[in-house]
Amino acid sequence: MRLIRSIYLCCTIVISVEGWAPKLPEERELTTNLSNLSLRKVPTDLAPASTTVDLSYNLLSELQNSDFHSVSKLKILILCHNSLQQLDIKSFEFNKELRYLDVSHNRLNVVTWYPLASLKHVDLSFNRFDTMPISEETGHMSQLETLGLSGAKIQKSDFQKISHLHLNTVILGLRTLSHYEEGSLPILNTTKLHIVLPMNVNFWALLCDGLKTSKILEMTNIDGKSQFVSYETRHDLILENAKTSILLFNKVDLLWDDLLLVFQFVWHTSVEYFQIENVTFGGIVYLDHESFDYTSTVMRTVKLEHVHFRVFNIPQDRIYLLFTKMDIENLTISDAQMPHMLFPNSPTRFQYLNFANNILTDDLLKKPAQLPDLKTLILKGNKLETLSLASCFVSLTPVMHLDLSQNLLQHQNDDNCSWPDTLLTMDLSSNKLAGSVFRCLPRSIQTLDLNNNKIQTIPKEIIHLTSLRELNIALNFLTDLPECSHFRKLSVLNVEMNLILSPSLNFLQSCQEVRTLNVGKNPFQCTCDLRDFIQLGKHSEGMLLGWSDSYLCEYPLNLKGTQLKDVYLPELSCNTALLIATIVAIVLVLGMAVAFSCLCLDLPWYLRMLGQWIQIRLRVGEATQEQLRRNVQFHAFIAYSERDSLWVKSALIPSLEKEDGSVLICIYERNFDPGKSMTENIIDCIEKSYKSIFILSPDFVQSEWCHYEGIAHHDLFRDNSDHIIFILLEPVPFYCIPTRYQKLKDLMGRKALLEWPKSRHKCRLVLANLRAAIDVNLSDNRQACELQTFTGLNEQARGSASSLIRTDCL
Ligand SMILES: *[C@@H]1O[C@H](CO)[C@@H](O)[C@H](O)[C@H]1NC(C)=O
Ligand SMILES: *[C@@H]1O[C@H](CO)[C@@H](O)[C@H](O)[C@H]1NC(C)=O
Ligand SMILES: *[C@@H]1O[C@H](CO)[C@@H](O)[C@H](O)[C@H]1NC(C)=O
Ligand SMILES: *[C@@H]1O[C@H](CO)[C@@H](O)[C@H](O)[C@H]1NC(C)=O
Ligand SMILES: *[C@@H]1O[C@H](CO)[C@@H](O)[C@H](O)[C@H]1NC(C)=O
Ligand SMILES: *[C@@H]1O[C@H](CO)[C@@H](O)[C@H](O)[C@H]1NC(C)=O
């Protein structure tokens, strides 16, 4: 228990301190709330800095003198709903700032007063005092403003002790009252008197004395059964010296006839404002407006709220007329389950009529009432259905404010409306009105609330609402902002919670007077169309209400929930012309780049080379095995004409042969066997080489090819064979090839010729391709190679051949 309390205490202190943190230390308020903790004693560890201590709803039965000594800053002490039996106000003598002391709802029977200079509010109501707890000391507390009292007996002598105090409020919270000495209450000098009546008291006596006592009189718990039956009802009562102008009854349970008697009595007193809240009445109606004396009254306002009928066969009309025949300014009968209301045939003076939260139907509106002074009519929360009938009902009145909200109102286009030209504000919210309502509105209207209806569009042909300044169409089904051509003075527009995906800003052209605009909580579609609106929100400086928290994207789904201000919609993706221009520019630049590369850098040639290189690379893997089976010993055999031999030996071969000599090239001059015929040698060489490279030039075609045309039937010359590579060293026009070299023509026609380029960069690429083409691992055939080379050497080639053997075959 203690632990819980400590935690609780700690929490409340922390909360309070935080709440007041910005204040200066001496102004800091600290609440220690120990309410409803079943405490039997006042805790000794009260925070000394507390200014408010709440110990209500505990089990405290006595207070020690020292209980609150430590809490020297105490201003408010709440001890209500405990079991205290005695109270000594002297025990607060060290609480110099104590101004509010609530000890109501305890079991007090003795109070010892002490003139605490700060105390303004002392509540001792609902205790068990025998007589009023007032002593001579009380009379010395001239600063007292509110005094709550209770006691079984009320007598003049008690109140006389404080009759000189100018009190603000006196609360008489009575549990029982066994004796009331008439004339006691009027001794008090207080602005407001609140009597909570116990059962079985003389209501009339207290009412009469109450009315003589204070300007405001409130009476709670008026119970006809116990308070009226056993005491004689004084029909002929006339009250002199009444002071009360505001009379409030609360929690009333009376027979109808008794209620009417109360009305009749109060009618002739000083009361101007009579309010009855939470009233239940039943019984049989004997008395009605016909027996009511409406003459000589100062009554101006009657208000009945929360009315319950205990009996349902009450003749409603007689009851209605009792109220509507009252010639007063303000009448409220609300929350009373009233199905109908009748007005007398003669004009009445009502300025303010409020029949909110009943069950009134169109029947009320069918007979226009004569209300020549009406300014405000409130019919909200009923079951009215036809707007045009409502307009007829008020058509002959000078009504300015009309509240028809929370009904079932609709408007058909062919119904005629006739509103008075005095109407300034109209609340039509929470009805079933569609766009057609705009054809049934008063021209003079300044403030119009159409919130929560079924409006989809505002029709084009409507009455010009030249005075309209505030329009609320929140919670409808609008899909765009309205146009102001028919209400040009509009300055406040609320279209929250509609179906506006993308507000069009044409609005701002026709609605130039608009200063406040609320478009929040619409399902915004965050696409390019919204860009202007987002800009408006960012730069309109307070024009858009609720910016930016209530402006969230609904579509597209990936942006759902994003605040509009955070949505990024780049110019490029939104401006079609710009987009096209950009694409065209990019295409142009790319085209120019391609053209430039083709023309100046010969890009296609490079691409072709690259393509070949990739092809070769791919093919090498597949072909190698099969090729090797042919017992290949050289990487390549090169055939060339005498005239090109210088180039072949000085340029081509050095480029193909790697530095480590791992590439073996077979050429006529060094590898041919003099013992064999030219043709045999050639065949031998071709067969032992992985590839055969033919260096084509006009000279080669004229003088050398003759040796090869003959062996062109050889397997390796087949059309699809990759064995042969043609290098076109110089252009060989087709017509220069002798007709007998049919095979050469065929081969040249079918095979891709590797043209030898002029530029050095290109040469490197061609060579790389060539090297890739002849790149094959000959290690398995090395032995053979060695022998062959030894036997096949001729004299001139010996030197180079031996170097070949040295580097490669050892
Ligand atoms: C203390 O707490 C109770 C609820 O636990 C609350 O009703 C009461 O108003 C609080 N008292 C004060 C002084 O804040
Ligand atoms: C006191 O607390 C109990 C539960 O702890 C709750 O039911 C009761 O309503 C509280 N009373 C008041 C007056 O706050
Ligand atoms: C009651 O108090 C007011 C000031 O609050 C004073 O003007 C008035 O004279 C007093 N009435 C009586 C009867 O003492
Ligand atoms: C009316 O009074 C009853 C008790 O008489 C109470 O239970 C009820 O809550 C009160 N209603 C209103 C709205 O004050
Ligand atoms: C009638 O009611 C209106 C609106 O509530 C108010 O301004 C006016 O003062 C009231 N008149 C009287 C006599 O109470
Ligand atoms: C509305 O008024 C026109 C002429 O002013 C009339 O012809 C028409 O019948 C009226 N409509 C209704 C429903 O009264």
Side-chain angles (χ1 to χ4, degrees):
M1 189 71 223
R2 218 186 145 73
L3 180 70
I4 294 172
R5 222 188 58 217
S6 304
I7 294 170
Y8 188 74
L9 192 65
C10 191
C11 290
T12 50
I13 288 172
V14 166
I15 290 164
S16 314
V17 168
E18 286 206 335
W20 292 95
K23 288 217 172 182
L24 295 172
E26 59 267 26
E27 291 176 329
R28 199 173 281 176
E29 302 284 332
L30 183 61
T31 299
T32 301
N33 196 338
L34 299 170
S35 176
N36 202 3
L37 293 172
S38 307
L39 299 178
R40 286 174 189 280
K41 278 172 133 185
V42 178
T44 51
D45 53 355
L46 287 175
S50 303
T51 52
T52 300
V53 173
D54 187 348
L55 283 159
S56 59
Y57 294 95
N58 281 297
L59 304 171
L60 303 176
S61 60
E62 58 176 350
L63 299 180
Q64 303 300 322
N65 271 351
S66 56
D67 275 347
F68 300 99
H69 278 188
S70 60
V71 201
S72 58
K73 297 264 162 55
L74 191 62
K75 288 180 183 161
I76 298 174
L77 178 59
I78 302 169
L79 291 164
C80 64
H81 293 278
N82 277 285
S83 308
L84 297 174
Q85 291 175 8
Q86 295 192 353
L87 180 71
D88 186 356
I89 296 181
K90 193 167 195 289
S91 59
F92 305 113
E93 67 178 322
F94 297 109
N95 305 107
K96 295 276 185 225
E97 293 175 39
L98 186 66
R99 57 179 161 79
Y100 185 104
L101 178 62
D102 182 356
V103 206
S104 64
H105 296 275
N106 275 275
R107 295 179 192 167
L108 293 178
N109 48 45
V110 179
V111 167
T112 314
W113 285 88
Y114 178 81
L116 262 187
S118 55
L119 210 51
K120 292 185 172 160
H121 179 116
V122 179
D123 193 349
L124 300 170
S125 58
F126 299 102
N127 276 288
R128 297 191 177 170
F129 299 110
D130 188 35
T131 57
M132 289 286 134
I134 300 170
S135 71
E136 300 295 338
E137 293 285 351
T138 324
H140 297 152
M141 299 175 70
S142 54
Q143 76 291 343
L144 268 184
E145 290 173 0
T146 303
L147 186 57
L149 298 168
S150 58
K153 288 183 197 145
I154 295 178
Q155 45 204 9
K156 289 182 180 173
S157 55
D158 294 330
F159 287 149
Q160 254 142 15
K161 291 172 198 153
I162 55 167
S163 64
H164 59 284
L165 296 183
H166 300 166
L167 294 166
N168 195 332
T169 305
V170 171
I171 306 160
L172 282 182
L174 306 174
R175 279 191 169 134
T176 57
L177 184 63
S178 57
H179 171 74
Y180 175 72
E181 185 182 353
E182 279 190 33
S184 299
L185 288 175
I187 296 173
L188 295 169
N189 186 351
T190 177
T191 312
K192 179 173 180 186
L193 174 63
H194 182 185
I195 310 175
V196 184
L197 299 170
M199 308 289 255
N200 301 312
V201 291
N202 187 342
F203 168 81
W204 290 105
L206 287 169
L207 175 63
C208 287
D209 276 0
L211 289 170
K212 287 185 208 162
T213 307
S214 59
K215 186 170 178 288
I216 305 170
L217 173 64
E218 181 173 355
M219 299 181 91
T220 303
N221 287 341
I222 297 170
D223 175 58
K225 277 198 288 304
S226 72
Q227 294 163 358
F228 283 63
V229 174
S230 27
Y231 299 92
E232 190 198 345
T233 305
R234 295 158 41 178
H235 295 264
D236 54 343
L237 201 71
I238 304 285
L239 196 69
E240 308 270 319
N241 319 322
K243 280 185 187 167
T244 302
S245 60
I246 298 177
L247 178 60
L248 312 165
F249 282 5
N250 191 12
K251 297 191 189 165
V252 179
D253 187 347
L254 285 178
L255 298 176
W256 168 258
D257 281 3
D258 287 339
L259 183 73
L260 191 134
L261 284 176
V262 172
F263 256 106
Q264 183 70 81
F265 170 66
V266 170
W267 196 253
H268 298 304
T269 65
S270 57
V271 174
E272 296 175 15
Y273 179 101
F274 188 18
Q275 170 183 306
I276 309 181
E277 271 198 6
N278 202 359
V279 51
T280 305
F281 66 81
I284 298 165
V285 176
Y286 293 114
L287 302 172
D288 65 6
H289 58 98
E290 277 164 18
S291 55
F292 197 90
D293 174 10
Y294 286 100
T295 60
S296 61
T297 184
V298 292
M299 187 72 77
R300 296 169 73 189
T301 300
V302 169
K303 182 171 180 183
L304 273 92
E305 265 185 337
H306 312 295
V307 183
H308 306 267
F309 300 89
R310 185 164 307 118
V311 180
F312 287 94
N313 60 356
I314 288 173
Q316 304 264 357
D317 48 347
R318 289 166 69 187
I319 291 175
Y320 301 144
L321 283 174
L322 172 74
F323 294 104
T324 52
K325 283 179 89 174
M326 291 175 174
D327 204 14
I328 54 176
E329 287 169 28
N330 290 4
L331 174 63
T332 299
I333 305 178
S334 71
D335 202 356
Q337 305 153 43
M338 246 182 358
H340 192 45
M341 176 49 76
L342 290 173
F343 289 92
N345 291 323
S346 55
T348 50
R349 273 203 303 145
F350 292 116
Q351 293 180 11
Y352 173 98
L353 284 177
N354 181 350
F355 302 132
N357 303 318
N358 284 290
I359 43 176
L360 298 171
T361 61
D362 278 355
D363 288 342
L364 168 74
L365 308 172
K366 281 177 182 155
K367 192 176 165 227
Q370 298 189 49
L371 299 160
D373 294 323
L374 191 64
K375 291 201 175 70
T376 306
L377 177 60
I378 299 174
L379 294 172
K380 87 170 199 199
N382 280 287
K383 299 198 180 306
L384 307 177
E385 289 174 22
T386 315
L387 185 61
S388 54
L389 275 182
S391 83
C392 293
F393 181 76
V394 295
S395 61
L396 298 175
T397 71
V399 68
M400 293 158 80
H401 313 284
L402 182 58
D403 185 348
L404 296 171
S405 59
Q406 298 171 34
N407 277 283
L408 309 167
L409 287 173
Q410 279 178 301
H411 177 66
Q412 310 298 337
N413 270 331
D414 45 356
D415 288 348
N416 295 325
C417 294
S418 56
W419 297 104
D421 280 338
T422 45
L423 261 175
L424 301 177
T425 64
M426 207 149 97
D427 190 345
L428 294 173
S429 60
S430 302
N431 276 291
K432 294 164 136 192
L433 296 163
S436 56
V437 67
F438 281 90
R439 301 210 171 91
C440 177
L441 289 175
R443 275 168 215 284
S444 54
I445 196 81
Q446 290 181 1
T447 305
L448 179 59
D449 193 343
L450 284 166
N451 155 38
N452 189 15
N453 275 285
K454 303 194 184 314
I455 301 171
Q456 294 177 343
T457 52
I458 297 178
K460 287 271 178 285
E461 322 77 47
I462 61 169
I463 302 161
H464 282 269
L465 304 170
T466 46
S467 306
L468 189 61
R469 293 206 161 72
E470 268 190 66
L471 178 57
N472 183 348
I473 327 183
L475 212 70
N476 276 282
F477 301 93
L478 290 179
T479 51
D480 201 353
L481 292 176
E483 221 208 301
C484 299
S485 48
H486 290 80
F487 29 84
R488 294 202 175 274
K489 290 253 176 70
L490 195 67
S491 81
V492 178
L493 176 65
N494 185 347
V495 282
E496 254 190 317
M497 292 184 270
N498 275 277
L499 301 176
I500 302 176
L501 298 178
S502 172
S504 67
L505 292 190
N506 298 343
F507 165 81
L508 286 179
Q509 268 121 50
S510 68
C511 307
Q512 292 189 343
E513 301 275 305
V514 167
R515 298 284 166 268
T516 311
L517 177 62
N518 189 347
V519 200
K521 296 181 190 152
N522 273 288
F524 292 109
Q525 182 166 28
C526 291
T527 54
C528 293
D529 293 345
L530 210 61
R531 286 175 79 234
D532 291 342
F533 183 73
I534 294 176
Q535 290 308 315
L536 176 75
K538 284 181 179 167
H539 304 300
S540 66
E541 280 143 24
M543 178 181 168
L544 278 189
L545 225 62
W547 183 268
S548 57
D549 294 353
S550 322
Y551 294 74
L552 305 177
C553 298
E554 182 74 22
Y555 311 105
L557 288 180
N558 62 337
L559 286 177
K560 190 174 171 149
T562 313
Q563 287 193 4
L564 254 54
K565 75 166 166 38
D566 298 330
V567 172
Y568 176 62
L569 294 166
E571 180 78 29
L572 187 59
S573 66
C574 292
N575 189 332
T576 324
L578 186 66
L579 183 67
I580 291 174
T582 311
I583 291 173
V584 167
I586 290 173
V587 167
L588 270 179
V589 168
L590 276 179
M592 276 158 65
V594 168
F596 177 77
S597 339
C598 291
L599 290 178
C600 304
L601 302 175
D602 211 357
L603 186 73
W605 185 87
Y606 283 104
L607 290 178
R608 217 165 55 229
M609 278 299 133
L610 192 68
Q612 280 182 6
W613 185 82
I614 291 167
Q615 255 179 355
I616 290 163
R617 278 278 148 207
L618 291 177
R619 246 185 251 140
V620 164
E622 303 163 10
T624 314
Q625 293 311 315
E626 193 227 311
Q627 299 287 359
L628 288 183
R629 244 174 272 131
R630 289 197 283 115
N631 200 17
V632 168
Q633 292 163 17
F634 295 99
H635 286 96
F637 161 67
I638 302 181
Y640 54 93
S641 81
E642 199 53 41
R643 229 210 242 157
D644 305 324
S645 75
L646 190 64
W647 176 78
V648 170
K649 284 187 217 159
S650 63
L652 184 63
I653 295 182
S655 316
L656 292 181
E657 288 184 324
K658 289 185 192 158
E659 272 178 20
D660 61 357
S662 61
V663 176
L664 296 175
I665 305 286
C666 180
I667 53 172
Y668 179 84
E669 280 147 55
R670 65 183 186 204
N671 304 83
F672 274 30
D673 186 351
K676 290 186 183 168
S677 77
M678 179 81 174
T679 312
E680 276 174 336
N681 260 324
I682 288 173
I683 292 177
D684 199 32
C685 229
I686 288 176
E687 275 178 352
K688 284 180 190 157
S689 298
Y690 175 51
K691 294 273 152 107
S692 301
I693 301 173
F694 290 82
I695 310 297
L696 296 186
S697 62
D699 187 50
F700 180 84
V701 174
Q702 302 293 329
S703 59
E704 285 290 327
W705 182 260
C706 57
H707 304 297
Y708 302 94
E709 183 72 16
I711 55 166
H713 63 273
H714 193 277
D715 261 3
L716 297 172
F717 281 75
R718 268 179 326 197
D719 296 341
N720 58 352
S721 161
D722 289 329
H723 183 75
I724 297 169
I725 298 169
F726 285 123
I727 294 181
L728 204 59
L729 194 60
E730 287 168 48
V732 182
F734 227 59
Y735 59 83
C736 292
I737 304 172
T739 39
R740 59 183 190 281
Y741 295 163
Q742 193 53 45
K743 190 66 193 177
L744 179 63
K745 279 185 179 170
D746 279 0
L747 286 171
M748 279 175 72
R750 290 214 191 90
K751 286 215 145 274
L753 302 178
L754 214 58
E755 230 173 288
W756 194 255
K758 304 259 180 307
S759 134
R760 193 144 6 118
H761 295 287
K762 291 183 177 178
C763 289
R764 274 193 212 145
L765 214 68
V766 174
L767 280 171
N769 266 0
L770 261 183
R771 273 200 293 269
I774 64 174
D775 184 20
V776 72
N777 192 354
L778 299 181
S779 57
D780 298 344
N781 308 54
R782 280 216 184 140
Q783 209 58 38
C785 143
E786 193 176 338
L787 291 170
Q788 281 288 329
T789 318
F790 265 115
T791 51
L793 282 180
N794 63 12
E795 283 308 313
Q796 308 105 294
R798 196 178 290 271
S800 63
S802 55
S803 88
L804 191 113
I805 294 158
R806 194 177 60 242
T807 53
D808 199 54
C809 294
L810 288 181

